[in-house]
Amino acid sequence: MIVLSQLVVIRRMDGRSRTAALAAVGAVFATAWLVLGAAGLTGTGNALVAALGVVACAAIFGFGETMLSPARSAPAPAREPAPVLC
């Protein structure tokens, strides 16, 4: 499942800036942590809501990890070959 979703993410990120992709990953991770924090604030009376919040946090965090791998493995501009001027 993760490998298939990474292939989809790689296609969607093709041609986009690595910096923008890493910024998007940061926003996704922040959202995951906010969801987890909200799940912790639900109280003991809403155990099901808290559990669903923890599951949602894991899913969002997993999506962020899926986005992070292609963004980090993309070639850096300094490592890309220079264009041939012939």
Side-chain angles (χ1 to χ4, degrees), residues 5-17:
S5 61
Q6 280 183 342
L7 293 174
V8 171
V9 169
I10 287 171
R11 284 189 195 155
R12 291 212 165 206
M13 290 176 61
D14 189 30
R16 299 213 171 121
S17 155

Side-chain angles (χ1 to χ4, degrees), residues 2 4 13 16 36 43 45 47 51 55 58-59 71-72 78 83:
I2 292 173
L4 295 176
M13 290 176 61
R16 299 213 171 121
L36 185 63
V55 171
R72 289 182 61 202

Side-chain angles (χ1 to χ4, degrees), residues 46-70:
N46 295 326
L48 180 62
V49 173
L52 289 175
V54 170
V55 171
C57 171
I60 295 168
F61 198 86
F63 176 69
E65 284 287 334
T66 302
M67 289 176 59
L68 181 64
S69 178

